């Protein structure tokens, strides 16, 4: 049996464990949240090192991408560096393949995503592949990176401007404590009421809301009118939450096991274990070929 | 050690760069703040005022600022001229910013959007 563990800076309320068989290989997949406790995450990573087949880092990124440029997140690297023997992934490699594929699938096999669809991506720098793919599909994009991460009410409308702002800010912002840029720990359990009130209109104006679920949820206003949400890591509770807000469709990009859509960091760990390659040797084509063999398709749910 | 006048000149450069940046004015339309800039090695205080997207500054202190930026005169000058980013001294502890975390982050973004790249 292969063991994949996700160590997350997120809330421990979302911890879970499942056993699945994929391509005749048995997996035990679990997620351990540290409620934003960085030191606890380091302890856990040290404990797990050498004892499991892959470790996913959740609630934090190792790298952010804008175009061809990759920006290393210092807090993410600090976590990854304590693991000496087990492969560590943050999901960024898989996101780049799987989420492009999700957009392609939706445009070809559904009428949920059309050229001209108004899409709000709450954050694009952690999902540049999806941002690029949605743009290429002709969607009318709003990238909310400045709005939701920095509280600056400035919708970025093009990938070019997103890359330019990233070039100016990310080399320094990636050095800041990660919790300043992204909700970690208990913040993931609550909404930011002030920002919901101030920025909720961006959700109302969109037909599609895409991106990291913790951000999607944290700023989602009431009274939505049938929007589609494209995300992952949703629990049954989360699905009910967005349904009550007025979301009509949920598309999750990663497979569901026991009613739970897993994070890309976990799934990248699983795929890496199946490939039996070093992370640095794995290509997008490897992931795409394996995604095909596993018949991994986005899950479309009418709420 | 830099002088009070040198800090004034660096703030002048910062305010000019800001004024030339239409995008920043749009971004900060909603952010009305008084920012006190204090040197901790010489007698020097300045006040930056953001109002409806426009940035101005005066010599001297303001009461009840929303944000207070404290560092030594050299760091303040380097920072407002864009020779160093705020993140560097902030993480080293040689730059203190007193205010809400959201405001601190926003001030960082403004500096980077002026001087970054």
């Amino acid at each position: 049996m292969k063991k994949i563990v996700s160590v997350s800076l997120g809330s421990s309320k979302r911890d879970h464990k499942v056993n699945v068989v994929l391509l005749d290989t048995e997996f035990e997949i679990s997620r351990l949240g540290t409620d934003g406790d960085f030191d606890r995450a380091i302890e856990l990573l040290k404990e797990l090192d050498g004892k499991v087949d892959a470790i996913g880092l959740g609630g934090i990124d190792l790298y952010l991408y804008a175009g061809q440029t990759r920006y290393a997140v210092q807090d993410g690297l600090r976590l990854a560096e304590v693991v000496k023997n087990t492969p560590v992934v943050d999901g960024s490699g898989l996101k780049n393949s799987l989420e492009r594929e999700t957009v392609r699938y939706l445009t070809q096999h559904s009428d949920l995503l059309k050229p001209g669809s108004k899409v709000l991506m709450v954050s694009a720098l952690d999902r540049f592949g999806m941002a690029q793919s949605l743009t290429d599909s002709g969607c009318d994009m709003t990238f909310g990176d400045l709005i939701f991460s920095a509280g600056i009410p400035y919708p970025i409308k093009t990938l070019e401007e997103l890359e330019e702002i990233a070039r100016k800010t990310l080399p320094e912002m990636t050095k800041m404590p990660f919790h300043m840029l992204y909700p970690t720990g208990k913040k993931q359990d609550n909404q930011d009421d002030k920002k919901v009130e101030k920025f909720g209109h961006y959700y109302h104006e969109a037909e599609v809301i895409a991106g990291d679920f913790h951000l999607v949820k944290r700023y989602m206003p009431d009274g939505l009118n049938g929007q589609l949400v494209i995300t992952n890591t949703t629990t049954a509770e989360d699905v009910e939450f967005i349904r009550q807000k007025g979301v009509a469709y949920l598309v999750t990009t990663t497979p569901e096991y026991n009613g739970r859509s897993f994070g890309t960091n976990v799934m990248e760990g699983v795929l890496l274990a199946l490939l039996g390659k070093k992370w640095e040797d794995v290509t997008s084509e490897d992931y795409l070929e394996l995604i095909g063999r596993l018949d991994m398709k986005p899950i479309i749910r009418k709420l | 050690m830099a002088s009070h006048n040198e800090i004034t000149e660096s703030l002048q450069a910062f305010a000019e760069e800001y004024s030339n940046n239409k995008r920043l004015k749009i971004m900060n339309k909603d952010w009305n703040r008084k920012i006190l800039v204090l040197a901790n090695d010489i007698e020097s205080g300045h006040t930056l005022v953001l109002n409806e997207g426009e940035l101005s500054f005066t010599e001297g202190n303001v009461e009840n600022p929303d944000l207070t930026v404290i560092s030594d005169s050299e760091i303040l000058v380097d920072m407002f001229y864009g020779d160093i980013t705020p993140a560097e001294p902030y993480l080293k502890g040689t730059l203190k910013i007193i205010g809400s975390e959201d405001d601190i982050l926003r001030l960082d973004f403004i500096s980077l959007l002026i001087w970054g790249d």
Side-chain angles (χ1 to χ4, degrees):
Chain A
M1 177 183 309
K2 292 195 182 292
K3 288 189 177 182
I4 313 296
V5 182
S6 169
V7 174
S8 173
L9 288 177
S11 166
S12 56
K13 279 188 187 169
R14 302 171 75 88
D15 284 357
H16 55 276
K17 186 194 274 190
V18 294
N19 289 288
V20 289
V21 177
L22 299 167
L23 301 178
D24 299 326
T25 305
E26 213 176 313
F27 281 90
E28 181 190 275
I29 306 171
S30 56
R31 185 258 191 204
L32 300 168
T34 65
D35 297 315
D37 186 337
F38 205 87
D39 295 333
R40 174 74 189 125
I42 287 180
E43 270 173 40
L44 269 176
L45 290 167
K46 284 181 179 167
E47 277 171 32
L48 293 165
D49 189 18
K51 295 179 189 147
V52 297
D53 294 279
I55 296 173
L57 284 181
I60 192 162
D61 293 297
L62 283 175
Y63 300 106
L64 298 173
Y65 294 83
Q68 298 301 313
T69 313
R70 184 175 83 165
Y71 301 91
V73 177
Q74 295 306 310
D75 270 357
L77 289 186
R78 274 175 59 207
L79 288 178
E81 277 164 10
V82 304
V83 182
K84 306 292 180 202
N85 301 302
T86 301
V88 182
V89 290
D90 68 341
S92 56
L94 180 61
K95 268 187 219 168
N96 200 34
S97 313
L98 184 67
E99 294 185 346
R100 284 176 195 274
E101 205 48 27
T102 298
V103 173
R104 192 194 59 77
Y105 185 89
L106 288 177
T107 52
Q108 290 182 0
H109 299 278
S110 81
D111 58 359
L112 293 171
L113 206 54
K114 295 182 277 278
S117 291
K118 289 184 176 176
V119 179
L120 167 67
M121 270 196 88
V122 286
S123 168
L125 291 172
D126 62 331
R127 286 178 149 76
F128 198 80
M130 184 189 270
Q132 217 163 26
S133 196
L134 286 164
T135 302
D136 292 346
S137 302
C139 295
D140 175 0
M141 300 302 297
T142 295
F143 302 114
D145 297 69
L146 284 176
I147 301 168
F148 300 108
S149 293
I152 298 173
Y154 184 82
I156 301 168
K157 296 297 290 180
T158 65
L159 286 177
E160 292 71 27
E161 189 172 23
L162 181 71
E163 283 183 54
E164 183 225 330
I165 289 173
R167 203 166 50 241
K168 289 185 172 197
T169 59
L170 281 189
E172 294 304 317
M173 295 317 293
T174 47
K175 294 177 188 163
M176 300 298 278
F178 196 66
H179 69 83
M180 286 182 78
L181 300 172
Y182 179 80
T184 57
K186 299 230 182 300
K187 275 189 187 170
Q188 293 185 353
D189 298 331
N190 304 312
Q191 286 204 281
D192 183 332
D193 293 333
K194 267 190 185 169
K195 284 188 183 165
V196 170
E197 197 186 326
K198 196 169 172 186
F199 302 134
H201 65 96
Y202 290 109
Y203 282 66
H204 285 284
E205 289 155 13
E207 297 163 89
V208 180
I209 298 148
D212 177 272
F213 185 70
H214 294 298
L215 292 177
V216 168
K217 181 182 170 187
R218 191 160 166 78
Y219 306 111
M220 182 176 276
D222 291 327
L224 294 178
N225 53 347
Q227 278 82 346
L228 157 71
V229 167
I230 306 173
T231 189
N232 63 6
T233 68
T234 49
T235 63
E237 231 175 65
D238 296 329
V239 176
E240 182 53 22
F241 175 88
I242 61 170
R243 192 191 65 76
Q244 284 189 5
K245 293 284 186 186
V247 172
Y249 288 92
L250 170 66
V251 172
T252 45
T253 59
T254 47
E256 280 187 15
Y257 303 118
N258 290 359
R260 174 70 189 268
S261 154
F262 277 72
T264 42
N265 70 88
V266 182
M267 292 315 299
E268 191 170 359
V270 169
L271 265 55
L272 196 65
L274 282 171
L275 286 166
K277 282 187 173 184
K278 283 186 179 171
W279 181 78
E280 50 272 30
D281 297 335
V282 176
T283 62
S284 284
E285 289 69 35
D286 289 328
Y287 283 138
L288 285 174
E289 190 269 331
L290 200 49
I291 287 167
R293 274 205 287 149
L294 287 163
D295 198 26
M296 270 168 68
K297 291 192 179 78
I299 297 165
I300 303 171
R301 187 181 302 182
K302 170 97 177 79
L303 305 182
Chain B
M1 187 188 298
S3 66
H4 174 82
N5 281 346
E6 284 172 301
I7 299 175
T8 307
E9 283 163 16
S10 70
L11 283 167
Q12 183 69 47
F14 185 80
E16 274 172 22
E17 286 295 323
Y18 180 95
S19 298
N20 293 334
N21 192 323
K22 278 186 194 160
R23 186 169 63 182
L24 266 177
K25 290 183 187 179
I26 296 168
M27 286 179 179
N28 290 320
K29 265 263 182 256
D30 69 319
W31 203 54
N32 296 340
R33 292 290 185 278
K34 288 180 283 185
I35 303 164
L36 176 61
V37 179
L38 288 177
N40 57 15
D41 57 341
I42 60 167
E43 198 64 34
S44 172
H46 291 83
T47 302
L48 288 165
V49 178
L50 266 158
N51 190 36
E52 306 275 318
E54 298 294 331
L55 178 73
S56 59
F57 81 97
T58 52
E59 292 179 56
N61 299 359
V62 66
E63 276 183 24
N64 303 318
D66 301 292
L67 276 163
T68 305
V69 178
I70 308 167
S71 193
D72 70 51
S73 53
E74 281 290 345
I75 289 176
L76 291 176
V77 168
D78 286 348
M79 198 171 71
F80 287 112
Y81 272 128
D83 294 337
I84 58 169
T85 64
E88 218 173 291
Y90 180 72
L91 293 171
K92 277 188 195 157
T94 49
L95 168 71
K96 284 199 175 73
I97 309 179
I98 302 164
S100 77
E101 204 167 88
D102 280 356
D103 280 350
I104 293 171
L105 190 63
R106 196 151 171 177
L107 186 61
D108 274 351
F109 265 100
I110 294 172
S111 303
L112 293 168
L113 287 168
I114 290 177
W115 297 120
D117 200 12

